[in-house]
Amino acid sequence: MAGEVPEEATAPWSVIAQRMLRAVQKGGDGDKEQVGRSLVRHKRDVYRRVADRMAQVLPAPPALLRVALMRLCEEDDPRVLSPWGEEPVDATLVDRLREILISVTVIFEYIEGPYVRIVELVVRDGDKPVVYRNKTYADGLEVPHRVTQERISAGETETRFTVYPPAPSEV
């Protein structure tokens, strides 16, 4: 219905990933492993892009910011966290991110051509919020399955996922 926000718009990454995998397991189109790899690639890239931007705001290396950001966003997918094992988390850096980060949203747009993935980052700069947007163009085959299957087939041209702040976990 017009004016209503779809449930996925407020779902955290981990919930979105679980829903996508369940959809594939229940007979959705595509290979479960391929869908999972695509989502992991997108999530890693989003965290990397946000960490690179935050490195311009906070005096810390992007690699440490990426790990702190994933902790702050309550990322729980071990494939996204690190392919090499546990990475140390700087709790002070997590707290500093929490102080200045207002929101991180991933938006997929489709208008006659390739998908556009926009990572929207809102941070505090003194008393005012500052919005940073990073656009990436992607072939439809590279876009997470849930975006192409449900949104585009229904005629939607935009899908939003909230990465931060994390929503309460699903029961």
Side-chain angles (χ1 to χ4, degrees):
M1 288 184 201
E4 288 187 21
V5 177
E7 182 181 3
E8 281 79 12
T10 58
W13 272 124
S14 58
V15 172
I16 294 164
Q18 292 167 2
R19 289 179 185 160
M20 287 176 60
L21 290 175
R22 278 196 301 258
V24 171
Q25 289 170 341
K26 290 181 180 179
D29 294 341
D31 175 18
K32 174 183 170 185
E33 188 175 316
Q34 178 61 33
V35 169
R37 281 194 307 262
S38 173
L39 181 63
V40 167
R41 275 193 309 273
H42 274 279
K43 290 169 75 172
R44 281 184 181 161
D45 189 55
V46 166
Y47 285 124
R48 182 188 57 78
R49 289 175 188 275
V50 173
D52 288 348
R53 173 55 78 172
M54 293 307 296
Q56 297 173 4
V57 177
L58 293 173
L64 292 178
L65 283 164
R66 181 183 54 79
V67 174
L69 181 66
M70 288 190 291
R71 173 64 60 91
L72 181 65
C73 294
E74 299 177 5
E75 178 61 58
D76 61 356
D77 187 337
R79 299 169 304 166
V80 175
L81 296 173
S82 173
W84 305 281
E86 285 294 313
E87 295 178 85
V89 178
D90 182 340
T92 305
L93 196 51
V94 173
D95 290 339
R96 291 178 64 203
L97 279 170
R98 186 177 288 117
E99 290 172 6
I100 65 169
L101 189 60
I102 296 172
S103 70
V104 176
T105 305
V106 177
I107 306 159
F108 286 94
E109 291 181 347
Y110 177 79
I111 303 172
E112 299 295 323
Y115 286 87
V116 177
R117 185 189 69 199
I118 301 166
V119 177
E120 186 176 84
L121 174 66
V122 183
V123 298
R124 286 182 183 83
D125 183 14
D127 292 339
K128 62 181 181 175
V130 177
V131 177
Y132 298 103
R133 298 182 105 204
N134 178 283
K135 287 187 178 184
T136 305
Y137 296 89
D139 181 299
L141 298 174
E142 297 173 9
V143 176
H145 185 69
R146 184 85 173 222
V147 172
T148 57
Q149 181 184 19
E150 293 183 12
R151 301 295 178 216
I152 304 308
S153 65
E156 298 287 332
T157 58
E158 180 179 284
T159 304
R160 293 176 167 262
F161 299 106
T162 300
V163 178
Y164 182 82
S169 51
E170 197 175 77
V171 177

